Amino acid sequence: MHKIFAIFFAFSLSFPMIAHAATSINDTEIERVLNELITPLATAAHIPDNRLKIHIINDNDFNAFVAGGDDIYVYTGLLTKIKSPNALQAVIAHELGHTLGGHMVQMSARLDAEMKRAMIIQALGIGLMAFGQNSSLGAGVLAGAGGVATQSLLAFSRDEERMADNLGLDLMIRAGLNPNGFIQVFEQMAEVTSAAEDHINPNRINHPLTRERLKNIRDRINTMKQTTKENNANKTKYELIRAKLIGYLDNTDRIKILYPYEDKSDAAIYARAISAMRTGRLNAARIGAKTLISRIPQNPYFYELLGDIEYQSGQYDASIDSYTHSLKLSNNAPQIQTALALVLTERKKKDDINNAIILAKQSLLIAPSPLTYLVLARAYTDGRSDWARAEYYNLLGDIKQAKTYAKQAKKTLKKDCPEYIKSDDILSQPDKN
């Protein structure tokens, strides 16, 4: 694996509710653009400032969801496939519609009620057989109990989805966003699902058919008086983060199709430069990054990319210059602070280690990450190195390794220092089964 992945995408272990052990991605540029897009929706939904947290899930599924009302999970499969920021806002508005409609709480209560109902029906079936009645009737009732509950829950879920569409559409209007984003999403979904839906029993799925949802949204929009247009600044930023994700996550053949060399847009150059860096074509990557900087010299993330490229080339001085410039333009983004700290620990000129420690600590105050603790572990030469490694494994969920390093840290640290106390905290955690 190219060492750039130690800097750019800070991968961490998945959240427990995420299926098939997906990983999350931490990237300042992507997170900030998504926050800008979602903030108007949060405001319209009367969610307090800074309450919503975006989680970017590295999974190719076309999916997003809201958990607990405050956490929005957006899959990379959704970000790379949806071509419009307005369409992405519609997806998030729909998910927030579930929160506004209280659907999670209702579903939990409905599930509990339906399970009790199924148990009663099952008990009746068992009772018919036990008391010598018609055994085939008893067996039929027993077999059908789960189906009754399932059908009821599916119907409930379909109603929720329709309501979430309507609530999401209202939310888009209140936020001053173009509701046609919903049409864009459903049209894109219809391209994929229309053939399959012709053979689906609509009563056997938990979502309404896409064509039904599209018709409902079109009918509602036609009754509204709205003149909101898509924000061009948002469109440009969204195209760049989409290109960034594709550049890092897709193979080179796919990138050539999506962003052919004839395409001279900023997004296309961004994707191709990242792809070139990933595949070791560092000179081509450097030319791409510098072209972008010449076009938009105030974009901090183009300097970040150049810092990544120079680091991978072993040009530490040039890498540090680029990261430093990126930090000034980005207002001290934690991921870029960590990247700069990492390069400083490798260059090791005068004051580099001390500066690396300062940067890593600043980054941890905003966004603790395993990589930042690993940088600290490399920078320290005493017991604090063991403590930092313990924190690294703790964030990765490897409690056994975390405790091993915490024990080592306590052997040499002073009992009144913060790292000693934090090591104790790690040791006091229960072991995972």
Side-chain angles (χ1 to χ4, degrees), residues 60 79 93 103 122 130 141 208 233 246 249 264 285 325 355 358 385 402 412 417:
N60 202 39
L79 293 172
H103 295 163
Q122 286 180 335
V141 171
I246 291 171
L249 299 177
K264 303 301 181 183
H325 200 67
N355 289 334
I358 292 168
S385 177
T412 55
C417 77

Side-chain angles (χ1 to χ4, degrees), residues 167-234:
L167 289 170
L169 187 60
D170 293 340
L171 193 60
M172 291 278 280
I173 297 296
R174 291 206 305 273
L177 303 174
N178 191 338
N180 288 322
F182 270 96
I183 293 177
Q184 295 171 23
V185 172
F186 290 139
E187 284 181 340
Q188 192 169 345
M189 288 172 61
E191 291 175 6
V192 178
T193 63
S194 57
E197 286 187 351
D198 289 339
H199 306 285
I200 290 175
N201 180 346
N203 295 320
R204 299 297 297 175
I205 56 176
N206 64 353
H207 281 61
L209 294 175
T210 303
R211 59 176 174 265
E212 176 193 332
R213 299 173 76 182
L214 179 55
K215 181 181 183 304
N216 172 56
I217 287 295
R218 275 186 172 143
D219 289 346
R220 291 199 71 222
I221 289 176
N222 286 338
T223 67
M224 297 175 174
K225 293 181 180 179
Q226 59 83 27
T227 57
T228 310
K229 295 182 179 179
E230 192 160 345
N231 184 311
N232 286 330
N234 283 346

Side-chain angles (χ1 to χ4, degrees), residues 297-326:
Q298 297 305 306
N299 186 313
Y301 310 110
F302 296 159
Y303 287 98
E304 179 190 16
L305 174 60
L306 184 59
D308 294 345
I309 295 164
E310 300 295 9
Y311 170 67
Q312 206 175 153
S313 302
Q315 303 298 318
Y316 293 155
D317 290 349
S319 177
I320 288 167
D321 287 345
S322 295
Y323 282 137
T324 301
H325 200 67
S326 176

Side-chain angles (χ1 to χ4, degrees), residues 111-126:
L111 183 61
D112 183 57
E114 292 301 335
M115 289 303 101
K116 287 177 181 176
R117 182 182 176 196
M119 289 172 66
I120 291 170
I121 295 173
Q122 286 180 335
L124 175 61
I126 294 169

Side-chain angles (χ1 to χ4, degrees), residues 367-387:
S369 77
L371 178 59
T372 311
Y373 280 113
L374 196 58
V375 170
L376 274 181
R378 296 174 63 173
Y380 285 130
T381 56
D382 54 19
R384 290 174 296 178
S385 177
D386 289 323
W387 158 75

